Amino acid sequence: MAAPTAISIPQPTHISSSEEAQPEALLSKLKLYDIMLGSAKPMGLRAAVLLNIPDIIAQASGSLTLEEIAAHISASTESPPHIEYLFRLLRFLASHQIFSEIPHQEDFKQSRYGLTGLSKLLVKETSEGGVSMQNYVPFLLGATSNLPFQGWLHLHESVLEGGSAFDKAFGMSAWDYAANNPEANKTFNEGMSCDTRAVMASVVKVYEEGFKKITSLVDVAGGVGSALSIIVDNYKHIRGINFDLPRVIATAPPIPGVEHVSGNMFQHIPCILW
């Protein structure tokens, strides 16, 4: 009988005692790991939202066991989730305070998960069935779509050659891509509207004296009119004009007090706006 082949075990890299004694070196390494693996957090968030976990917990008005969450997912998707992978996802997100966690020492399926201030921002519907006022889901889904990531892969080429990384990845600008891809256009517009609503809620209060002094307001590249809709709703004496590309204006909803006008600000801004 042949003798077993010896296994070569790599020796650990020597770390000097002086390096071990420097907390800055350790912190730098931990920071580097955080940066390199940083995409896991937003993609984990995306997975939780696509599985509807924030809404499942919100509808329960309290915490749920892992098994209960799995049952809700199974009922809505007609596909039972892999319980151990669901556990890994929730435990990972709980470690970043996205969900609260009460671990069960004997049966991990009985570990309980609840909402935190952060995950409440990802609830799409209230317990009464209405739309949540603090809903960052469209912004999250836009920011974690495959389009931005494919563009980032070409960032070094932009440094070497100039030009947009997105253009290099897709052979066209982001605006042309959106014009030819309705779903991407919808995702982008909904994400921008979500971000706008979050910001404008504070702007309309902070700039109160300024808004009181104007009677008309033009938002150039105003998207589907989210910013103006909040402004004119709070200051009804203002006439709002929302100006953006034709493909954007085509999907803009009617807004009382706001007129949608299509065009390209890089080519011509019609004097009718003023």
Side-chain angles (χ1 to χ4, degrees):
M1 181 174 179
T5 303
I7 300 175
S8 177
I9 301 176
Q11 296 301 308
T13 303
H14 176 68
I15 300 175
S16 66
S17 57
S18 60
E19 185 178 359
E20 289 178 332
Q22 294 179 10
E24 302 85 9
L26 177 58
L27 289 174
S28 295
K29 292 175 184 178
L30 293 175
K31 182 64 176 178
L32 180 59
Y33 269 89
D34 184 55
I35 293 172
M36 291 191 297
L37 303 176
S39 61
K41 286 177 276 189
M43 299 313 293
L45 269 177
R46 180 184 178 90
V49 166
L50 293 178
L51 291 168
N52 212 34
I53 293 175
D55 279 292
I56 288 172
I57 298 175
Q59 295 296 326
S61 301
S63 63
L64 290 175
T65 66
L66 182 71
E67 208 164 38
E68 290 170 333
I69 294 172
H72 281 284
I73 294 174
S74 180
S76 61
T77 63
E78 299 182 357
S79 177
H82 192 289
I83 195 74
E84 291 185 8
Y85 278 90
L86 178 61
F87 173 63
R88 292 182 182 185
L89 174 64
L90 285 169
R91 166 149 281 196
F92 169 71
L93 294 175
S95 73
H96 292 284
Q97 292 77 51
I98 295 167
F99 293 105
S100 63
E101 180 185 40
I102 304 175
H104 195 282
Q105 301 302 321
E106 298 178 1
D107 182 2
F108 73 92
K109 297 177 185 178
Q110 300 306 312
S111 296
R112 303 190 71 87
Y113 294 90
L115 298 178
T116 64
L118 197 158
S119 49
K120 286 178 181 177
L121 299 176
L122 299 172
V123 173
K124 298 190 290 293
E125 297 182 355
T126 65
S127 57
E128 291 78 26
V131 176
S132 173
M133 293 301 293
Q134 294 181 317
N135 174 10
Y136 282 77
V137 169
F139 195 28
L140 169 68
L141 295 180
T144 56
S145 75
N146 65 319
L147 297 181
F149 282 98
Q150 289 186 50
W152 289 125
L153 294 176
H154 296 263
L155 184 58
H156 67 291
E157 296 174 23
S158 293
V159 175
L160 294 172
E161 306 164 2
S164 165
F166 188 98
D167 293 13
K168 294 179 183 298
F170 296 95
M172 66 182 76
S173 71
W175 315 117
D176 290 336
Y177 187 95
N180 290 285
N181 293 270
E183 190 60 33
N185 184 48
K186 180 174 180 288
T187 298
F188 178 80
N189 287 336
E190 288 179 349
M192 291 298 95
S193 294
C194 174
D195 184 40
T196 297
R197 288 192 297 271
V199 173
M200 291 306 299
S202 298
V203 171
V204 291
K205 296 178 181 178
V206 173
Y207 196 62
E208 180 179 1
E209 292 303 315
F211 286 126
K212 286 180 178 179
K213 296 176 182 178
I214 61 176
T215 56
S216 64
L217 181 63
V218 179
D219 190 352
V220 178
V224 294
S226 298
L228 280 175
S229 68
I230 295 173
I231 293 171
V232 299
D233 185 56
N234 283 269
Y235 304 93
K236 300 188 184 303
H237 66 283
I238 295 179
R239 171 184 175 242
I241 301 176
N242 180 49
F243 182 71
D244 212 312
L245 294 168
R247 64 168 177 80
V248 178
I249 295 301
T251 62
I255 301 172
V258 176
E259 177 185 358
H260 295 297
V261 178
S262 63
N264 188 329
M265 67 178 179
F266 295 111
Q267 297 175 357
H268 175 65
I269 297 181
C271 60
I272 189 174
L273 299 186
W274 315 103

